[in-house]
Amino acid sequence: MRRAKLHRSTTETDIQLALTIEGKGRYQVSTGIRFLDHMLELFTRHGAFDLKLKAQGDLDVDQHHTVEDVGIALGEAFHSALGNKKGIMRAGYFVMPMDETLGVAAVDFSGRTAAVINTEVNVPVVGDLQSELVFDFFEGFARGARANVHLKILYGRSNHHKIEALFKAFARALRVACSRDKQLARMLPSTKGLL
């Protein structure tokens, strides 16, 4: 079982997190932002991970620090749980329909950080989440995981569905990237010798 526990504490946020990659889709999530909780819950279920996450942030200032730091902490947990990355698929992608919306996600645990996010969300708030912070969450994940993260909404009407399609596609792309490669079981999936 690949697992990670971490406690990330700054003057702006305090985050406790436990992740199991080979999970059952179980979650206990509390960030103080209910829409973000909902996205993390469905992320966990679609990724078949187990996630316990409690975040307390300076929401009296705004949501930015909490959302970004949760993304960073989750990325760090994946980085830690994957260890030396030998025998993993390393990269994964998924195309996710969400009713009238279609989202695509691709991720690569390359050891390098890149985030290209196109949400097509055209309102400032979805539920109780400042929608521009979806980018910050995924960029934070990419930094924490040392991964490439590419997310794009191809089309859609509902802003809720756009964000949800991205989180679901991301979870399923991660599930593939984290999975064990039976053919190259003991090898590092890189010709550089380092990820």
Side-chain angles (χ1 to χ4, degrees):
M1 286 284 213
R2 294 171 294 172
R3 295 184 169 122
K5 282 188 176 183
L6 66 85
H7 180 202
R8 186 175 198 278
S9 185
T10 73
T11 58
E12 299 163 342
T13 61
D14 189 83
I15 299 168
Q16 295 188 14
L17 188 156
L19 169 73
T20 302
I21 290 178
E22 291 87 3
K24 303 282 186 193
R26 295 175 294 222
Y27 51 81
Q28 292 177 349
V29 175
S30 175
T31 65
I33 306 165
R34 187 61 194 112
F35 190 82
L36 180 60
D37 292 351
H38 178 47
M39 293 300 106
L40 291 169
E41 290 163 1
L42 60 85
F43 162 84
T44 304
R45 183 61 49 86
H46 281 262
F49 312 121
D50 288 344
L51 179 65
K52 288 184 180 178
L53 187 148
K54 182 172 176 131
Q56 293 180 304
D58 55 359
L59 295 177
D60 56 319
V61 175
D62 80 355
Q63 297 178 348
H64 181 272
H65 301 139
T66 300
V67 175
E68 181 178 50
D69 286 5
V70 165
I72 292 168
L74 188 60
E76 289 174 346
F78 272 90
H79 179 72
S80 176
L82 288 172
N84 65 16
K85 300 180 188 165
K86 284 186 179 176
I88 67 167
M89 291 295 289
R90 175 181 152 173
Y93 68 92
F94 201 84
V95 179
M96 187 75 201
M98 178 68 207
D99 297 341
E100 85 298 338
T101 298
L102 192 66
V104 63
V107 63
D108 180 9
F109 288 107
S110 66
R112 298 177 308 279
T113 299
V116 180
I117 317 297
N118 184 345
T119 67
E120 293 293 326
V121 173
N122 53 24
V123 294
V125 177
V126 176
D128 64 342
L129 174 67
Q130 295 168 250
S131 57
E132 71 176 4
L133 299 180
V134 172
F135 178 93
D136 299 88
F137 172 86
F138 287 115
E139 183 184 48
F141 181 97
R143 272 190 280 142
R146 299 176 192 145
N148 299 167
V149 174
H150 293 255
L151 300 168
K152 182 173 178 59
I153 290 299
L154 301 179
Y155 49 80
R157 179 197 56 79
S158 165
N159 292 294
H160 182 127
H161 289 171
K162 290 173 185 176
I163 296 171
E164 187 166 338
L166 291 181
F167 272 86
K168 287 178 176 176
F170 182 61
R172 290 183 176 269
L174 273 181
R175 188 172 171 180
V176 173
C178 292
S179 67
R180 298 184 190 274
D181 185 339
K182 292 177 185 174
Q183 191 172 352
L184 301 174
R186 291 185 177 89
M187 296 182 71
L188 190 69
S190 172
T191 57
K192 290 183 178 184
L194 179 68
L195 283 178

